[in-house]
Amino acid sequence: MTISGRTLILAGRPIPLEPREAAGALGREIASMPRGLRLWFAVLLGAIAVAVPAALVALPPGWEVLGTTPTFEWGLLIVGYVFFAITTSGLCLASSLGTVFGIERFRPLEKRHAILALLCLTTAFGIIALDLHYPIRMVFGAVFVPSPSSPMWWMGVFYGIYLCVLVVEVWSMFTNHPRIHQVTCTMAACTAIVAPATLGAVFGVLVARPFWHGPFTVALMVASAFLSGTALLGMVFFAVHRLHLAGAERAASLAIPAIRLLLGLGLTVVALLVARQVLVGLTSDLPAFREATTLLVAGPLAWQFWGLRVVLGLAVPIALLALPATRTPIGTGIASFLAIAGVFVDRMTFVAAGQIAPTSVAGNISAPFAVYSPSLVEIAIILGAVAFVALAYSLAERYLDLDESDAHAVVTLPVPSLNRIRALLPSRRRVARDAAVGVGAPVPAPTPGSVEGGA
Amino acid sequence: MAAPSPDLPVPAELVPLADLAPAITEISVSRRRFLGFGLTLLGGIAGATALSRLVPVFEDTSSAPPPIVPAYDPVGKAWTFVVDSASCIGCGLCVVACKEENAVTEDGEFARTWVERHAVADGAVYVDSPDGGMDGFPATSTAPGAEGKTIESAFFEPRLCMQCEDSPCTSVCPVGATYRTEDGIILVDARRCIGCGYCVVACPYGARYLTPAAERAPNDTPGIADKCTWCYHRISRGALPACVEVCPVGARRFGDAADPESDIARLVRERSPQPLYPEFGTRPRVLYLGPSVEEA
């Protein structure tokens, strides 16, 4: 990005800075767009236009425009925050296989994952700011009055670090700094595990909510993160392949098969964890846990759980990935869409099931279960958030160079290779030979070919 | 100013001003830089003032009202609350008194203290609390599924914050807004609470809520967590909590159990009241007598 006179050069495209010229250029640009793209942008802008007033109404404290109640305090906005936050982590987890571990078949995920991760995380922060009644206090309170006993505080710390790392990662990626890019990718991958784990702990430490309580909540959160991040990449790369965008060939030959593999892995792990949750819940000694699980599988949440979560969100995607006839880019694209929708529904039923069953007959709970329906404001905000991510990413896809380049070639970390370790160890044959001549085994210096490192 | 007399002796160490001129020019601050520095300083002060208004974390907290009892010493107090559910008649006076005393909204969904009715009908237990029991209870249970069923037996269970010794609300608060006083009462700092609701979902007794933007709000701050404080502003001045004072049948008892001669200490010693739902492991400091704990 450079500024030349009164023109901004962005990804090789001149953008006039004079308002009148800029408006004219914008008009010409819109006119030059394909009709489908214009429609796509119009739909997204429409959703954002509805979400903006909804967000303005939701921000003032205590206006009660959300559908939450004292007995059901966490609603759709918390679900949206959790969804976008874990998706961010999942994007880094999936892409780290290429960037951090240097596995070539996963390398095409790099640039797009970083853009998406940054967008998802900023969106998550935006949603949580709307759900909090005093978001500015949160920032200053968390810094000046740290509360290390609270998992929510740790979650803020890790996601804050994550945001900084992602910003540097994206910057280094587009400005050709391979070493910084490598380091930030590694940091992002580490944070991508810790951050959703602490997010899981936010729920997992609550003894008052037996459905959430326990270490498997952390495991399910990390696995869901991996699944949703991979699924989002699957949708994007299907679009890249279908619309012949930059790197379409690599998307078809490398990215989509890699995503198919990762998606299958994520779906299997999440399916096992969901099955475990239901089985343990139904046979639990804790009445509240049993009751919550019963309400999930045979109560008011049953249609969401079985219909949307299990069948459409798990069974159908697994079948699409497993059957030879649907092991195609479009099959992977549909499986990705269903999987990510399944993760969203899963977070929704998870948050709901934790609060729907009265842990005691306390408060004003209307036994036998608490009722929550999201308000139009909440729905508009979530749809607007999805539209924002889609719009910003579409703009990035159109105006930035997202094709893989040599700018971020694999820089292997100086991890000792097997050959190097072997070279440092005395071999059996050499030890036997040295024993025969009666001298100590000298340690051979590693040969240049056995040392990895360097770009 | 008059010129110095030429007769006066000039100290040897004095250097003529003309010789110092280059050095003074070098170290002096230009007017533009001085103005810039002054404006930056003013901007910083204005910004910090605005920030302190915006983020009340930094506000001075030393202006608490003086206690009625000047010798109040929080150290060594063992404030204890005992509820006798066998005595409670469900009149709801306690709920009304609490709302009046603490400026809690009249909306029945939000209450610092409330009364539940546990009714047995057709062999099943139904729990209801219409408007927190503020206006008493109708003849039939309002709980879902209990419509038209005749109540065979029932008892009333007053509820409030349990002031747990191992309180989840204090440990989960991300900004330390929920804290415990020296005498064991858990309070919410209205200037620090961010309204995240984590303490609300963490409380196993459902004793917390986020204040709505109603005409009346405790601390005049909507959107923050609120809960029963055992009327801390009253007990620290030697008075009883409002709900205890108005209860016509003595179903709510309160006092300092650290004093072995107090009524509450004697009650605890002689009748062994029990906490509700001890399985949560939070060690509540509200103890119950009567069918509440007998049923459990």
Side-chain angles (χ1 to χ4, degrees):
Chain A
M1 185 173 69
T2 53
I3 295 178
S4 164
R6 291 178 175 179
T7 307
L8 174 74
I9 310 292
L10 183 64
R13 288 166 181 263
I15 300 171
L17 295 175
E18 285 285 327
R20 189 173 293 175
E21 287 180 32
L26 181 64
R28 286 192 297 277
E29 176 64 22
I30 292 171
S32 71
M33 285 178 185
R35 185 185 289 176
L37 189 61
R38 275 207 299 268
L39 186 65
W40 171 244
F41 280 145
V43 169
L44 297 178
L45 285 170
I48 293 171
V50 173
V52 168
L56 291 175
V57 170
L59 197 55
W63 273 23
E64 298 301 311
V65 292
L66 311 182
T68 51
T69 62
T71 51
F72 214 116
E73 196 52 66
W74 282 357
L76 192 59
L77 293 188
I78 291 288
V79 173
Y81 164 71
V82 172
F83 173 74
F84 280 107
I86 65 171
T87 302
T88 306
S89 314
L91 287 163
C92 287
L93 282 175
S95 69
S96 66
L97 294 170
T99 319
V100 180
F101 298 103
I103 303 173
E104 187 59 27
R105 67 187 303 191
F106 299 121
R107 292 236 10 256
L109 314 179
E110 286 176 18
K111 271 190 177 175
R112 290 184 162 98
H113 105 266
I115 298 277
L116 279 169
L118 194 56
L119 288 173
C120 283
L121 192 54
T122 46
T123 307
F125 280 144
I127 294 174
I128 198 68
L130 292 175
D131 188 64
L132 290 179
H133 293 96
Y134 295 92
I136 298 173
R137 280 189 194 183
M138 180 196 68
V139 176
F140 286 93
V143 173
F144 292 109
V145 196
S147 184
S149 67
S150 170
M152 190 179 273
W153 183 80
W154 283 108
M155 179 189 73
V157 168
F158 287 126
Y159 273 110
I161 293 171
Y162 200 7
L163 182 64
C164 298
V165 169
L166 274 176
V167 169
V168 179
E169 185 184 337
V170 171
W171 166 81
S172 65
M173 199 167 61
F174 284 100
T175 52
N176 196 9
H177 288 85
R179 176 62 71 176
I180 297 175
H181 180 64
Q182 177 69 25
V183 171
T184 49
C185 279
T186 310
M187 287 175 71
C190 296
T191 323
I193 297 171
V194 180
T198 44
L199 181 50
V202 166
F203 294 90
V205 298
L206 297 179
V207 182
R209 310 283 170 178
F211 189 81
W212 294 342
H213 184 58
F216 280 95
T217 298
V218 175
L220 182 59
M221 200 68 86
V222 176
S224 298
F226 180 77
L227 177 58
S228 62
T230 313
L232 185 54
L233 284 175
M235 287 169 61
V236 166
F237 275 92
F238 170 66
V240 169
H241 162 74
R242 186 74 181 212
L243 302 173
H244 304 291
L245 302 176
E249 286 178 11
R250 292 188 71 179
S253 61
L254 281 175
I256 291 177
I259 286 166
R260 192 180 296 136
L261 181 68
L262 297 178
L263 201 60
L265 182 71
L267 284 165
T268 310
V269 173
V270 169
L272 287 173
L273 286 170
V274 169
R276 187 216 70 89
Q277 190 178 41
V278 171
L279 288 175
V280 171
L282 289 175
T283 55
S284 171
D285 292 335
L286 289 169
F289 191 13
R290 216 169 41 241
E291 198 174 349
T293 315
T294 308
L295 289 170
L296 176 68
V297 299
L301 299 173
W303 70 272
Q304 292 178 41
F305 179 74
W306 291 112
L308 303 179
R309 193 341 147 225
V310 175
V311 175
L312 286 178
L314 286 173
V316 175
I318 288 175
L320 285 172
L321 296 177
L323 294 173
T326 50
R327 297 187 72 180
T328 55
I330 192 168
T332 309
I334 295 171
S336 299
F337 173 75
L338 290 175
I340 200 166
V343 170
F344 188 85
V345 174
D346 187 40
R347 294 303 84 195
M348 211 157 61
T349 51
F350 174 80
V351 169
Q355 299 172 87
I356 195 170
T359 52
S360 70
V361 283
N364 302 302
I365 285 171
S366 352
F369 51 80
V371 180
Y372 163 73
S373 357
S375 68
L376 287 176
V377 169
E378 287 168 286
I379 294 169
I381 289 172
I382 294 298
L383 289 178
V386 173
F388 167 73
V389 172
L391 178 70
Y393 181 75
S394 302
L395 291 172
E397 189 72 62
R398 185 166 169 82
Y399 297 111
L400 296 180
D401 175 22
L402 297 186
D403 195 11
E404 297 307 306
S405 68
D406 295 333
H408 47 285
V410 174
V411 183
T412 312
L413 288 179
V415 178
S417 70
L418 198 58
N419 286 337
R420 191 177 178 186
I421 295 168
R422 199 173 285 153
L424 289 170
L425 294 173
S427 70
R428 269 190 215 163
R429 193 180 300 166
R430 197 165 51 240
V431 168
R433 188 192 62 208
D434 292 341
V437 296
V439 293
V443 178
T447 57
S450 66
V451 180
E452 291 187 3
Chain B
M1 184 185 286
S5 167
D7 298 329
L8 287 174
V10 177
E13 63 271 19
L14 277 183
V15 180
L17 197 61
D19 295 350
L20 286 174
I24 290 172
T25 312
E26 197 176 321
I27 61 168
S28 69
V29 180
S30 73
R31 186 185 298 169
R32 177 177 299 214
R33 188 177 289 181
F34 175 78
L35 280 174
F37 175 75
L39 284 175
T40 309
L41 192 68
L42 275 176
I45 293 168
T49 310
L51 199 63
S52 70
R53 294 284 175 192
L54 202 61
V55 188
V57 170
F58 309 110
E59 275 184 9
D60 182 20
T61 57
S62 59
S63 57
I68 291 172
V69 182
Y72 178 71
D73 180 11
V75 179
K77 286 277 188 292
W79 295 121
T80 305
F81 208 114
V82 175
V83 174
D84 186 355
S85 55
S87 302
C88 181
I89 55 173
C91 64
L93 272 180
C94 49
V95 182
V96 175
C98 174
K99 285 180 184 282
E100 284 298 318
E101 178 70 26
N102 297 296
V104 178
T105 174
E106 289 177 4
D107 184 344
E109 205 177 6
F110 305 91
R112 285 186 169 195
T113 185
W114 68 98
V115 180
E116 291 176 356
R117 173 171 59 183
H118 294 231
V120 177
D122 287 349
V125 178
Y126 296 94
V127 182
D128 68 337
S129 182
D131 287 335
M134 182 168 54
D135 302 318
F137 290 80
T140 54
S141 175
T142 57
E147 298 87 357
K149 292 183 179 172
T150 308
I151 295 177
E152 295 155 16
S153 63
F155 68 88
F156 297 101
E157 186 177 273
R159 298 290 295 270
L160 65 165
C161 173
M162 301 286 168
Q163 311 289 357
C164 306
E165 289 181 43
D166 293 333
S167 47
C169 53
T170 50
S171 60
V172 301
C173 179
V175 291
T178 286
Y179 64 100
R180 186 191 311 279
T181 60
E182 216 169 346
D183 42 355
I185 308 296
I186 296 165
L187 301 176
V188 179
D189 188 338
R191 301 157 309 133
R192 287 189 182 169
C193 179
I194 59 173
C196 65
Y198 199 12
C199 57
V200 178
V201 294
C203 177
Y205 295 95
R208 286 173 168 258
Y209 63 93
L210 294 183
T211 313
E215 196 175 319
R216 302 183 328 161
N219 305 306
D220 293 327
T221 314
I224 61 158
D226 188 51
K227 66 168 198 82
C228 163
T229 62
W230 286 4
C231 284
Y232 194 65
H233 58 290
R234 290 171 62 95
I235 64 172
S236 59
R237 298 179 199 183
L240 287 170
C243 59
V244 176
E245 196 157 286
V246 299
C247 181
V249 292
R252 292 174 181 245
R253 316 276 186 86
F254 179 82
D256 180 11
D259 175 8
E261 298 305 314
S262 64
D263 289 346
I264 201 79
R266 200 172 299 119
L267 185 68
V268 170
R269 207 165 44 236
E270 291 171 1
R271 297 187 62 188
S272 296
Q274 299 297 314
L276 285 185
Y277 311 111
E279 63 270 22
F280 290 122
T282 60
R283 297 167 66 202
R285 290 169 60 218
V286 175
L287 304 172
Y288 281 77
L289 292 166
S292 280
V293 281
E294 287 162 14
E295 186 189 63

